[in-house]
Amino acid sequence: MSVLGALQLILLAGLAFALPLGLIGSCGVLPMLGGTGAWSPERRHRALFMLSVAPMVLAFFGILAVLSPSLLALMWPELDHCLLHDDQHLHLCLVHLPRHAGNATSWLVLMLVTLWTSAQLGRALVELYRASRSASALRAHGKHESVLGTTVLPTATPLCLLIGVLRPTLFLSHGLLAGVSAAELAVILHHERAHGARHDVLLRLVARAATVFMWPSARSRLLGALELAAEQSCDEVAAIQVGDRLQVAEAILKVERLLQAPAGRLAPLAVAFGGDTVPQRVSALLEAPRRAGNVAALTLGFALMLCGVLAMSSPLHHVTESLLGAFTH
């Protein structure tokens, strides 16, 4: 029972950090969107991605800080802080395991959150599995073109999809290749290769998982802005490669008119060339490129926050033990 009780306390402590940090992160979405509105897409994407993962990373460091006294006691028994407390004090410790599990309320809360999280995770895994099956079917029917560095699908339906997490593959259809010029094809290739080099599919999956405890409306707004910033970043790369921002904007509009099939089941593992962000992307390309954005200051601030959490391990440990003790007994 003591091991079970220790596991319950660690999970409850994780929730005690993740839930409020998720709400705090939700409150920071609108200020971040407003503060980075004039930034370049690449720097804006980095800042928004940092905000998306911040609650979970801080929660992890919080748990690490809370458990650090017992981790130190495992290596140096003379530093065992639990010897300072009596037997009635709840021990969130890997050395002195709790004698009893929590009360019915604590188990009910933990069960409800676990069921909700499992449902979210299960749905995501099902979507990823279906996307993986669909991607495998496309690879089986496609033919690799070494000159273009893409897989060409034998269909008249215009398609342009970058599929894959670690090693993404660009899929183009005969219908799309027949409907664009060489200059427009160059824009497509530069844009999609930029997505692959940036690992945007992987970053999107990480952001979706890390924001699971954010308020739904704030989470949707943040993920949408993150998606737009990724697309605009790749548009900027394509504009630099071809040397003409107007050409990139025209190619986006041309391909958007040609594309007929959305990503569908492939959406969790795919980046499509068109989509709802086309108007904002074209408008941005018609303006002068932006260079502003102090990501280094945000990164330094985030790193200092993580160091601060670890530095406060002792008070965090005692506060967490007191709160869990009041909640579980």
Side-chain angles (χ1 to χ4, degrees):
M1 181 65 78
S2 59
V3 175
L4 184 61
L7 178 61
Q8 183 207 32
L9 290 178
I10 293 174
L11 291 176
L12 286 173
L15 289 176
F17 282 105
L19 291 176
L21 285 171
L23 291 176
I24 293 172
S26 301
C27 296
V29 169
L30 287 180
M32 179 67 80
L33 293 180
T36 60
W39 289 20
S40 67
E42 174 63 26
R43 295 177 182 180
R44 179 178 168 88
H45 184 271
R46 292 181 189 178
L48 295 177
F49 182 76
M50 198 180 304
L51 175 60
S52 69
V53 301
M56 283 300 185
V57 174
L58 285 169
F60 173 78
F61 271 73
I63 292 296
L64 186 62
V66 167
L67 293 177
S68 62
S70 60
L71 294 175
L72 291 175
L74 286 173
M75 295 182 288
W76 297 287
E78 62 272 13
L79 298 179
D80 191 349
H81 74 290
C82 291
L83 299 178
L84 303 175
H85 302 300
D86 56 38
D87 292 338
Q88 301 300 317
H89 185 83
L90 182 141
H91 295 290
L92 182 55
C93 181
L94 301 176
V95 179
H96 304 278
L97 298 178
R99 296 182 178 181
H100 305 285
N103 56 19
T105 302
S106 63
W107 279 111
L108 178 62
V109 170
L110 193 59
M111 181 183 68
L112 291 176
V113 176
T114 301
L115 288 175
W116 179 82
T117 306
S118 299
Q120 299 293 319
L121 177 62
R123 184 174 63 180
L125 290 176
V126 169
E127 291 177 351
L128 288 173
Y129 174 74
R130 291 175 177 174
S132 179
R133 291 287 300 272
S134 300
S136 298
L138 286 182
R139 290 189 179 92
H141 289 87
K143 178 181 179 182
H144 180 71
E145 292 287 347
S146 57
V147 176
L148 297 176
T150 67
T151 298
V152 178
L153 300 172
T155 175
T157 302
L159 294 173
C160 177
L161 295 168
L162 184 76
I163 303 174
V165 178
L166 299 178
R167 294 183 178 179
T169 301
L170 177 57
F171 290 86
L172 301 177
S173 67
H174 283 308
L176 180 70
L177 294 173
V180 298
S181 65
E184 291 162 345
L185 178 59
V187 171
I188 295 171
L189 295 177
H190 287 309
H191 177 95
E192 296 301 335
R193 286 169 183 165
H195 274 304
R198 288 164 42 85
H199 301 288
D200 279 329
V201 175
L202 175 61
L203 294 179
R204 184 177 64 191
L205 289 175
V206 171
R208 289 184 178 277
T211 55
V212 67
F213 289 119
M214 280 191 172
W215 195 257
S217 58
R219 179 175 185 258
S220 177
R221 191 185 292 265
L222 175 60
L223 294 177
L226 195 66
E227 191 83 10
L228 174 60
E231 291 295 335
Q232 290 177 330
S233 297
C234 295
D235 289 340
E236 294 294 335
V237 172
I240 293 173
Q241 294 295 326
V242 303
D244 189 343
R245 299 173 66 82
L246 182 59
Q247 180 181 329
V248 176
E250 292 174 343
I252 292 173
L253 292 173
K254 174 71 172 293
V255 174
E256 175 65 14
R257 287 193 294 267
L258 288 174
L259 294 178
Q260 299 176 7
R265 284 190 174 185
L266 290 164
L269 295 178
V271 175
F273 189 83
D276 298 335
T277 60
V278 166
Q280 297 98 312
R281 291 167 57 192
V282 172
S283 297
L285 286 166
L286 297 179
E287 301 172 355
R290 298 174 178 177
R291 304 296 181 192
N294 195 350
V295 180
L298 281 178
T299 305
L300 178 60
F302 187 49
L304 290 176
M305 288 176 63
L306 297 180
C307 293
V309 170
L310 293 179
M312 295 174 59
S313 61
S314 182
L316 275 177
H317 175 85
H318 291 296
V319 169
T320 305
E321 280 187 336
S322 299
L323 290 175
L324 290 179
F327 181 67
T328 59
H329 293 89

